[in-house]
Amino acid sequence: MTPTPRCFPGSIQSTHARVRVSPWDGFECPIEITSRSPQPDHERVGTNTTKLDQSSIWVVDVANLAPNTQYSIRVEPPLGIPSDTAIICTPPTTLTQAPLELCLFSCYFPSEEYYTNAARAKTILETLQIVPHLKLFAGDQIYGDVPSSSDSVQAIYRDRHRETFQGDRLGSLFAYGANMFTCDDHEFWNSYPDSMWWLSRSYDGNWQESRDEALKHFFQQQGVLNFSPGLSGGESDTRCWSSGKISNLDLFVTDTRSDRTSKDNKRRSPNSGNSTRPSLMSTQQLDTLLAWIDTVDRIGLLVLGQPLWLLSESYDNALCDYPEFDRTLDTLARNMRDRDVTYIVLTGDIHWGRLTVLQNPVRPASKLIEFVSSPIARVGMRSIFSRKLDVGERPNVAFNFDSQPKLNHFFGAYDRRRVFATNENNFGRLSLSSTPSGSVAGHFELWSLDSQSLALDRWGQLDNRCMSTLDLL
């Protein structure tokens, strides 16, 4: 039986988008894009198609789309071969035209109990009548390390990515609105690049082969989607970091895993260089990131695989363990001291969701907001051996700004606010809007995938929900 070709929307702008089609083994990839708006198409849609290596994956770059317009996307297959349909909504040109709708996801383990959470997220969005302009996946879309497997390294990473894109997994959610991706450790294995005791493929003799296979499949299945026309970054090095504009806002999606060195600096990727100090990312990405921070125009959206407010633990290191973290914080603090600019960090990883705000008391329009959404579906210790969940009690949401010494060094005098937090399976929603006068507001929500309602706020009183509107500028 011929597999059904499916379209997965990638990064998007007001008039451009990228789409991945798989599986498709033809010599050309005929794609059909139809406006769902009653208004006529902006102009004739144009496409440019590329086949990835010897795979059955095609990348399609789409041009001449109309801003703030919904489109259906499907393959035009030969008679008798069905094709699934994806939906996108192009972002408005500016926030004064319409609000920008973003969603944030991280950490999807397809356990027997929770694998349907992706479909539950889509149901919530459909109920809200929202097709997100962009969904941001902040890492751990697959768990390459659990459950343990005797399959070959090639088969493990290939099959787990393919499974993730199935319709009863994340595939149905991927097809509902555009997507951008970063990776975290589980795209490789827990605590990558350090070894993990239950995985022989992470030991000294095998770790590089495992890394290369993990990188190849992550980029083909996810990272390549980050580079629609107008967005640029690490595509030529098969790295997912990317930056550009969306609705005239500055966006930077980082890659803080692919070139991360081990704690002892002995494990380095080819892009890490030959430094005597551990590094978090390539020099090219760091230079581009620092320049981006310096040139953000009023509001910057920064996607990270791990939160800023996070200390390393015995089973994994954190951003603060690397010199690049200090340089990044220094650049953020300098800009927030010298000009009116707000940075919104969008991240996951920690298996609970939260919203925190730092504000410059001297320059109130300068804020550092961190929005965490995680997990889509929780993982537990029993998952090392099976898809059965056994995580015990939900994670504790206790949080103290003083627990991160480096952030206190750079932002110690800033006003601090804990807004809300949840330890339910969750995803985040951020709606950004502007008035004609130029003021901008951000509406933040965390949605419980267990109750399919706004998550209970563990930092609040009684039945407060994880929902808040912040004045950004």
Side-chain angles (χ1 to χ4, degrees), residues 135-355:
K135 304 193 303 295
L136 296 159
F137 287 83
D140 297 343
Q141 282 77 249
I142 73 159
Y143 279 72
D145 48 346
V146 291
S148 182
S149 173
S150 60
D151 291 345
S152 68
V153 171
Q154 294 85 351
I156 288 171
Y157 291 109
R158 178 198 65 210
D159 293 347
R160 293 190 184 182
H161 277 285
R162 286 180 177 175
E163 179 187 57
T164 292
F165 278 82
Q166 290 177 359
D168 62 347
R169 301 294 196 262
L170 284 178
S172 61
L173 182 60
F174 288 156
Y176 190 73
N179 310 278
M180 292 184 76
F181 303 87
T182 191
C183 53
D184 198 30
D185 55 339
H186 290 287
E187 266 73 39
F188 303 87
W189 58 81
N190 190 68
S191 195
Y192 171 86
D194 294 288
S195 61
M196 191 48 54
W197 59 268
W198 71 81
L199 291 178
S200 60
R201 66 177 185 270
S202 73
Y203 298 169
D204 288 345
N206 302 315
W207 81 274
Q208 290 174 312
E209 178 189 4
S210 301
R211 173 202 64 200
D212 292 346
E213 283 297 320
L215 277 171
K216 179 179 74 174
H217 290 289
F218 169 76
F219 191 77
Q220 286 187 348
Q221 300 284 345
Q222 300 182 42
V224 72
L225 284 169
N226 287 0
F227 301 97
S228 64
L231 292 163
S232 62
E235 185 174 21
S236 61
D237 292 324
T238 64
R239 298 298 190 268
C240 69
W241 65 272
S242 174
S243 65
K245 294 272 191 179
I246 181 168
S247 298
N248 208 33
L249 300 178
D250 295 287
L251 170 68
F252 197 112
V253 177
T254 65
D255 181 348
T256 60
R257 278 291 174 178
S258 297
D259 296 314
R260 184 181 297 203
T261 67
S262 57
K263 296 177 184 178
D264 60 11
N265 201 37
K266 292 181 179 179
R267 294 186 173 193
R268 303 186 66 85
S269 85
N271 285 6
S272 300
N274 297 312
S275 173
T276 58
R277 304 175 69 187
S279 59
L280 186 63
M281 60 183 69
S282 68
T283 300
Q284 182 187 7
Q285 182 182 177
L286 177 63
D287 290 345
T288 307
L289 173 60
L290 297 180
W292 178 85
I293 293 172
D294 278 336
T295 55
V296 163
D297 182 17
R298 303 182 76 205
I299 295 176
L301 305 170
L302 177 61
V303 181
L304 294 173
Q306 290 180 292
L308 294 176
W309 295 99
L310 180 66
L311 294 175
S312 60
E313 300 183 22
S314 58
Y315 57 84
D316 195 13
N317 45 26
L319 304 182
C320 64
D321 295 321
Y322 295 87
E324 293 92 340
F325 184 77
D326 299 58
R327 293 184 62 186
T328 302
L329 293 184
D330 183 54
T331 307
L332 287 167
R334 173 170 49 78
N335 279 274
M336 294 172 65
R337 181 188 67 233
D338 295 343
R339 60 196 188 98
D340 292 337
V341 59
T342 289
Y343 299 96
I344 303 175
V345 175
L346 302 166
T347 185
D349 178 56
I350 57 175
H351 289 210
W352 57 284
R354 70 185 185 211
L355 178 65

Side-chain angles (χ1 to χ4, degrees), residues 63-74:
N64 301 332
L65 298 171
N68 201 37
T69 301
Q70 288 188 19
Y71 290 88
S72 297
I73 306 175
R74 65 189 291 269

Side-chain angles (χ1 to χ4, degrees), residues 65 95 103 106 123 129 136 238 273 370:
L65 298 171
L95 298 184
C103 287
S106 176
T123 298
Q129 297 184 326
L136 296 159
T238 64
E370 185 166 78

